Amino acid sequence: MSNAWVLVGMMGVGKSAVGRALAALSDREFRDTDILLQNLLGKSVAQIFEVYGEAAFRDHEHAALRRLEPGPYVLSTGGGIVMREDNWDEMRRLGTTIYLQAEPETLVRRLSESKKKRPLLLGDEWEQRLMDLLASRQPLYAKADFHISVDGQEIDEVAAAVHRRLESA
Ligand code: S3P
């Protein structure tokens, strides 16, 4: 059975956009844990945080991973999925993990331009919160099998770089 390609990384790094481009490039299906949760609960991620809270969101996120089987698809994940050790067991069971890495300036620029509402970055001082999250999560993202930098590159270029890396592995 084919292994899944699992993208991890910070909010704003482009996991979903790169994931879709990578899926098209490699003729794989595209899946996204945030979308799985939104479909399951009939609410946006922002609403799930608002109504049920972050802890419940994280439980649903873990359950969604557990329900997946390995297969020929690309899986984009929410930025916080790396925080639970048991999520790593599930992601490794599904396939190969790829960390999409960006300089803080790239994340700030992309998030400023993004229309997606991120519950963890609401209100003032979101940039400082982003930096704190990045600092605490960096060692976790580093556990991924491959690390690919997105700085200064278009979505398609990043997808092609991930593809080359995975195909040559
Ligand atoms: C989160 C990232 C979001 C979403 C939720 C929490 C995080 O996904 O899962 O808002 O903790 O970093 P993206 O990384 O796709 O923005």
Side-chain angles (χ1 to χ4, degrees):
M1 193 193 295
S2 230
N3 278 339
W5 295 345
V6 184
L7 302 179
V8 299
M10 282 295 281
M11 294 175 268
V13 77
K15 297 179 297 288
S16 298
V18 169
R20 285 183 199 280
L22 178 61
L25 192 64
S26 55
D27 206 18
R28 287 173 163 241
E29 251 184 73
F30 173 72
R31 297 183 191 181
D32 184 316
T33 57
D34 279 354
I35 295 174
L36 291 175
L37 295 190
Q38 287 176 180
N39 292 343
L40 180 76
L41 300 170
K43 292 183 167 47
S44 69
V45 167
Q47 288 169 332
I48 299 170
F49 267 71
E50 234 171 83
V51 177
Y52 305 119
E54 180 172 356
F57 176 86
R58 299 297 173 201
D59 287 345
H60 281 295
E61 199 172 43
H62 177 69
L65 272 185
R66 288 191 64 154
R67 280 193 293 271
L68 289 168
E69 293 299 332
Y73 59 89
V74 176
L75 178 67
S76 171
T77 60
I81 211 154
V82 295
M83 295 189 301
R84 275 177 67 155
E85 186 54 39
D86 52 3
N87 285 345
W88 281 99
D89 298 337
E90 298 303 325
M91 293 193 289
R92 293 194 177 110
R93 175 181 63 81
L94 295 176
T96 308
T97 49
I98 302 108
Y99 171 32
L100 296 185
Q101 192 170 23
E103 291 299 323
E105 299 72 32
T106 305
L107 296 175
V108 168
R109 184 171 45 75
R110 290 191 180 181
L111 286 165
S112 306
E113 292 164 357
S114 167
K115 291 199 195 81
K116 186 170 160 187
K117 199 167 155 192
R118 264 100 178 175
L120 294 180
L121 299 178
L122 292 176
D124 295 338
E125 298 177 7
W126 67 269
E127 290 187 31
Q128 185 53 51
R129 237 169 306 129
L130 178 74
M131 294 309 133
D132 294 345
L133 284 176
L134 181 60
S136 65
R137 291 178 182 175
Q138 208 128 40
L140 305 173
Y141 293 131
K143 289 162 37 166
D145 299 315
F146 297 109
H147 300 187
I148 302 277
S149 166
V150 311
D151 294 305
Q153 295 190 78
E154 300 295 330
I155 299 296
D156 286 343
E157 292 174 310
V158 178
V162 175
H163 193 227
R164 274 197 305 274
R165 193 69 183 273
L166 287 162
E167 291 290 293
S168 67

